[in-house]
């Protein structure tokens, strides 16, 4: 995929109405420090379109990035580590739920999981919840560059079992640093387009 244009088009907060986009949407969900912004930037070949932060939980809105004026990457608020009150976290949950149930153009959901660790309780809840809402999430196992190559199969198995994935569910090891997994992800997206 050649990226000619990529721009942040819409930012939706807790009270915002979701945009009624005419183009397909590909959503990215994951824990606050899993590397969502780095992945989006890496996929698009941009340095800082999606803002990365050393402080987890920076994305507190649903961000719609219009790509080549033909589809959207949708960055969902990170869950887990954000230093937010229970009340605010509940509102983020409602916002994500509203998006998953309400978007008419959502094509695919990517759930990012740090490959180095067993999926957390929040990861499992998010996975089950995406499935409950009618989607088979593609699992993107981030930070694969932090493992030795020989460790990868064991960690892939740990993530698959930890989430209770079905055999046919996709898991793609990914690195924003080395770009491993980028081509496989683009193939899936282009296939859906």
């Amino acid at each position: 995929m050649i990226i000619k244009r990529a721009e942040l088009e819409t930012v939706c907060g807790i009270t915002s109405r979701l945009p009624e986009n005419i183009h397909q949407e590909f959503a990215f969900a994951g824990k606050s420090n899993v590397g969502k912004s780095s992945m989006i930037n890496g996929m698009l070949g941009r340095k800082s379109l999606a803002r990365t932060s050393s402080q987890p939980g920076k994305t507190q809105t649903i961000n719609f990035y219009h790509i080549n004026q033909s589809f959207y990457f949708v960055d969902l608020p990170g869950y887990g580590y954000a230093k937010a009150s229970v009340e605010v976290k509940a509102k983020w949950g409602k916002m994500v739920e509203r998006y998953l149930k309400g978007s008419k153009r959502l094509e695919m959901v990517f759930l990012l999981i740090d490959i180095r660790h067993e999926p957390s309780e929040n990861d499992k809840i998010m996975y089950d919840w995406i499935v409950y809402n009618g989607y088979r999430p593609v699992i993107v196992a981030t930070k694969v560059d932090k493992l030795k190559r020989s460790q990868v199969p064991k960690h892939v198995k740990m993530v698959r079992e930890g989430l209770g994935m079905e055999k046919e569910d996709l898991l793609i090891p990914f690195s924003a640093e080395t770009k491993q997994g980028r081509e496989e992800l683009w193939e899936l997206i282009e296939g859906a387009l």
Side-chain angles (χ1 to χ4, degrees):
M1 171 76 62
I2 295 163
I3 306 300
K4 293 191 173 85
R5 270 181 88 164
E7 57 206 344
L8 176 59
E9 186 179 276
T10 311
V11 176
C12 289
I14 289 165
T15 58
S16 308
R17 277 186 52 207
L18 292 167
E20 294 193 16
N21 292 323
I22 57 167
H23 295 133
Q24 290 161 293
E25 298 168 355
F26 298 86
F28 297 86
K31 227 178 351 200
S32 296
N33 64 344
V34 75
K36 257 188 313 113
S37 299
S38 298
M39 180 192 166
I40 289 170
N41 288 330
M43 290 289 290
L44 298 175
R46 299 293 192 271
K47 282 269 187 283
S48 56
L49 180 65
R51 291 209 314 267
T52 58
S53 170
S54 57
Q55 187 186 351
K58 265 308 211 208
T59 305
Q60 299 179 10
T61 51
I62 299 177
N63 298 330
F64 291 80
Y65 297 94
H66 206 179
I67 316 300
N68 290 347
Q69 302 218 296
S70 59
F71 63 96
Y72 289 90
F73 275 3
V74 181
D75 187 3
L76 300 173
Y79 54 84
Y81 286 109
K83 286 184 181 148
S85 69
V86 173
E87 187 184 333
V88 168
K89 285 181 184 173
K91 285 181 180 169
W92 290 351
K94 288 264 182 274
M95 185 167 60
V96 172
E97 183 174 20
R98 197 179 70 195
Y99 171 70
L100 286 179
K101 286 183 174 167
S103 170
K104 292 176 177 61
R105 303 300 297 161
L106 180 56
E107 197 65 47
M108 202 176 279
V109 181
F110 296 93
L111 177 58
L112 282 64
I113 306 282
D114 186 332
I115 195 168
R116 299 170 301 173
H117 310 293
E118 272 193 52
S120 68
E121 196 52 42
N122 281 331
D123 290 328
K124 291 176 199 163
I125 290 167
M126 188 54 134
Y127 175 81
D128 290 341
W129 193 62
I130 293 168
V131 170
Y132 174 78
N133 278 287
Y135 297 94
R136 293 303 318 177
V138 175
I139 304 304
V140 181
T142 62
K143 307 188 184 192
V144 72
D145 55 285
K146 308 271 193 257
L147 295 177
K148 291 188 178 101
R149 193 174 287 179
S150 62
Q151 296 173 299
V152 173
K154 186 180 98 180
H155 284 257
V156 163
K157 185 172 188 269
M158 175 182 77
V159 170
R160 290 188 80 91
E161 287 175 357
L163 292 174
M165 292 174 69
E166 303 287 334
K167 268 196 175 65
E168 66 276 6
D169 289 344
L170 292 176
L171 183 150
I172 298 173
F174 181 84
S175 165
E177 294 293 313
T178 67
K179 307 290 184 267
Q180 179 181 338
R182 186 173 183 261
E183 290 310 310
E184 292 95 312
L185 289 167
W186 274 122
E187 273 176 35
L188 283 175
I189 291 166
E190 287 173 332
L193 290 168

